[in-house]
Amino acid sequence: MAETLTVDTGPAGQEDQAGKQPRSVRVVLLALMITMMLAMLDNMIIGTAMPTIVGELGGLEHLSWVVTAYTLATAASTPLWGKFGDMYGRKGVFMSSIVLFLVGSALSGMAQDMGQLIGFRAVQGLGAGGLMVGVMAIIGDLIPPRERGKYQGMMAGVMALAMIGGPLVGGTITDHWGWRWAFYINLPLGVVALAAISAVLHLPKKRAQARIDYLGAGLLTVGITAIVLVTTWGGTEYAWTSAMIMELVAIGVVALVGFVFWQTKAAEPVVPLHIFRSRNFTLMSLIGFITGFVMFGATLFLPLYQQSVQGASATNSGLLLLPMLGAMLVTSIVAGRVTTNTGRYKLFPIVGSALMVVGLYLLSTMDTGTSRFTSGVFMAVVGLGMGCLMQITMLVAQNSVEMKDMGVASSSTTLFRTLGSSFGVAIMGALFNHRVQDVMSERAGALGAKITEQSAQLDAASLAKLPEAAREAYQHAVSSGTHSAFLLGAVVAVLSLVTAVFVKEVPLKGTGPETAATE
């Protein structure tokens, strides 16, 4: 049964004039954007603080698990939070995820050794799995699809701000307040979001009659965990053909096949398979996967290229992505407005995918002589494409399901994008590393192979210590590595373009703000 929404609208209980959303709706949206910021900022802030954390807590050999534990917990819990919201009511489940995230943040800030930090990061990740899903599902309930495009620019702006500001904020907090405040900074923001949501958003409590599908949840968790570990460890901790990776692949395949089979039998499945009967939902899930694949690969290798080849400062690494993120923000706003005004959206996935293909191909042509201006233009083309896709995929996916499945639709789309990013970083990273090591061996012989045997990604300090000839060889190697990675991204983006052609333009539900109060 559809969930009824009640939002306080002030003493008169009426909306603002001129067709605006009620003031309380805008307060809730602000709180949701703060929560979305928490979800996106965390890893970027922590990444900057990691050297200081290791210096104080030790445990360098377990460093990667600080990020991996968080990522695993987030990916595994994402579908569950969406389903719980559908079964027991959106507001309580969302607030529970925020509280769990804040508890994990506080505990992480108090960690006394690396083992504690890894465990507390897993707690934080469990809460983080519900943050983005909760934001998207509540917006899906609160704002009709026809009106939702107006808010795409807001969401894209938060995303851009997190990517640009994350490393800068992380460095500033660590230098002036200490690394523990990289976690504590979440607490005041989270409390503000909790207070606003508690006071203004009123959703009826629901109690599902069916029991939680524990077997389905367990199989899905095992499958997702195996996939993320394969993409995280493959080619770094373990060789791609090693027994460990092969075992994880087998476990992942068996668990996911078992999950799909069980979902056809479960009384209240974690991911109802009937949502995939909608052609648009399935296509948007695939496009979301590809967008995640391309976007996170690009944000990983672009700063590396600009620091290693173009000599840019690592301190301002977030600012190096400004052409891409700025273009993404502008296009997202335009796409949202056009979608709201016309109700038409099919053009955006097609144009966005085409721009991604062109932009990634242009990025693959960069070499040691490419100027920052030229690379900035190439990045802007990719950003224009992403701006057409980032929020449209969620909008169309939510428009393709019934209100009772809004949570699982939001969580499934988010999960596909998350898994796409894991595969993108792993596969593009493996290709990049292999190419860098080959070129270093060709240009610098045994010295080149020795320089990159531990890691194909050298930091600024290591790069400065290299002899001039070895440094030039490394610059050519990085240029060649990014060429291969971005060329692969362009090929994958072609699949997104083909997929977008088959999207069917189904009219968006809702015709105006008057439908925002009740469903």
Side-chain angles (χ1 to χ4, degrees), residues 47-248:
T48 313
M50 282 312 299
T52 306
I53 294 174
V54 171
E56 181 174 328
L57 298 184
L60 178 62
E61 67 275 14
H62 304 303
L63 174 65
S64 63
W65 273 104
V66 175
V67 175
T68 302
Y70 180 90
T71 305
L72 276 176
T74 301
S77 63
T78 292
L80 305 182
W81 284 114
K83 184 61 180 179
F84 291 158
D86 287 341
M87 292 178 68
Y88 302 116
R90 206 82 65 207
K91 178 179 176 179
V93 169
F94 181 52
M95 293 180 69
S96 298
S97 71
I98 297 176
V99 170
L100 187 58
F101 178 81
L102 296 181
V103 169
S105 298
L107 292 173
S108 296
M110 294 185 285
Q112 299 301 308
D113 57 49
M114 192 60 80
Q116 288 183 10
L117 179 60
I118 291 169
F120 296 149
R121 284 283 283 166
V123 173
Q124 193 184 19
L126 287 174
L131 298 186
M132 191 70 76
V133 172
V135 169
M136 295 301 178
I138 289 175
I139 288 178
D141 281 347
L142 197 60
I143 311 294
R146 181 64 184 266
E147 299 296 315
R148 213 172 295 155
K150 294 177 183 178
Y151 302 94
Q152 285 182 207
M154 188 188 301
M155 289 184 278
V158 169
M159 187 176 297
L161 184 61
M163 290 185 173
I164 295 171
L168 297 176
V169 172
T172 302
I173 289 175
T174 303
D175 289 342
H176 294 89
W177 297 351
W179 66 265
R180 296 182 187 278
W181 277 96
F183 296 103
Y184 293 151
I185 194 67
N186 294 328
L187 302 181
L189 293 174
V191 168
V192 169
L194 275 175
I197 291 167
S198 176
V200 180
L201 181 64
H202 298 291
L203 306 179
K205 294 181 180 179
K206 296 196 298 185
R207 182 70 187 177
Q209 297 302 313
R211 298 178 61 188
I212 297 172
D213 178 16
Y214 290 107
L215 178 57
L219 288 170
L220 182 61
T221 300
V222 170
I224 292 172
T225 299
I227 290 173
V228 174
L229 285 177
V230 166
T231 56
T232 302
W233 285 349
T236 53
E237 299 285 330
Y238 302 93
W240 285 105
T241 55
S242 67
M244 174 64 77
I245 297 300
M246 291 297 101
E247 288 170 7
L248 284 172

Side-chain angles (χ1 to χ4, degrees), residues 209-469:
Q209 297 302 313
R211 298 178 61 188
I212 297 172
D213 178 16
Y214 290 107
L215 178 57
L219 288 170
L220 182 61
T221 300
V222 170
I224 292 172
T225 299
I227 290 173
V228 174
L229 285 177
V230 166
T231 56
T232 302
W233 285 349
T236 53
E237 299 285 330
Y238 302 93
W240 285 105
T241 55
S242 67
M244 174 64 77
I245 297 300
M246 291 297 101
E247 288 170 7
L248 284 172
V249 169
I251 291 170
V253 170
V254 171
L256 292 179
V257 170
F259 170 75
V260 171
F261 173 76
W262 178 249
Q263 293 306 278
T264 64
K265 308 292 184 183
E268 190 67 45
V270 176
V271 180
L273 298 184
H274 67 78
I275 63 176
F276 292 97
R277 293 175 190 161
S278 166
R279 182 170 77 180
N280 275 4
F281 181 84
T282 302
L283 294 177
M284 286 301 138
S285 297
L286 180 56
I287 291 175
F289 179 92
I290 296 169
T291 304
F293 187 106
V294 169
M295 181 176 180
F296 285 88
T299 54
L300 175 66
F301 294 111
L302 280 170
L304 178 64
Y305 169 84
Q306 292 193 315
Q307 291 170 37
S308 301
V309 179
Q310 296 180 329
S313 167
T315 305
N316 297 321
S317 57
L319 296 176
L320 302 176
L321 298 173
L322 190 56
M324 183 176 76
L325 298 173
M328 185 177 75
L329 174 59
V330 171
T331 318
S332 185
I333 293 173
V334 172
R337 288 292 178 181
V338 171
T339 301
T340 296
N341 292 335
T342 66
R344 307 185 72 84
Y345 53 81
K346 180 174 180 176
L347 179 66
F348 294 111
I350 295 175
V351 171
S353 299
L355 285 170
M356 274 207 312
V357 173
V358 173
L360 287 164
Y361 173 75
L362 291 174
L363 288 175
S364 75
T365 65
M366 297 189 302
D367 55 28
T368 55
T370 304
S371 68
R372 291 191 195 180
F373 175 79
T374 302
S375 60
V377 172
F378 295 168
M379 282 191 282
V381 177
V382 176
L384 291 172
M386 288 182 179
C388 292
L389 294 172
M390 288 301 293
Q391 305 304 330
I392 287 290
T393 52
M394 181 65 74
L395 171 65
V396 178
Q398 290 180 336
N399 191 61
S400 304
V401 301
E402 299 177 32
M403 284 297 296
K404 67 183 180 65
D405 293 322
M406 187 65 70
V408 292
S410 302
S411 63
S412 298
T413 307
T414 303
L415 177 63
F416 275 105
R417 188 176 297 173
T418 301
L419 293 178
S421 67
S422 294
F423 276 93
V425 169
I427 297 174
M428 293 172 78
L431 192 62
F432 172 85
N433 292 341
H434 181 72
R435 189 61 191 147
V436 167
Q437 289 167 349
D438 283 351
V439 173
M440 285 295 284
S441 297
E442 292 170 7
R443 287 181 169 267
L447 175 62
K450 185 177 181 180
I451 289 171
T452 56
E453 66 181 356
Q454 295 298 322
S455 174
Q457 302 179 28
L458 303 183
D459 57 28
S462 301
L463 195 58
K465 294 176 182 177
L466 295 180
E468 183 66 27

Side-chain angles (χ1 to χ4, degrees), residues 32-40 132 135 155 158-159:
L32 294 178
M33 292 305 106
I34 292 174
T35 310
M36 185 176 174
M37 175 77 77
L38 289 175
M40 299 203 63
M132 191 70 76
V135 169
M155 289 184 278
V158 169
M159 187 176 297

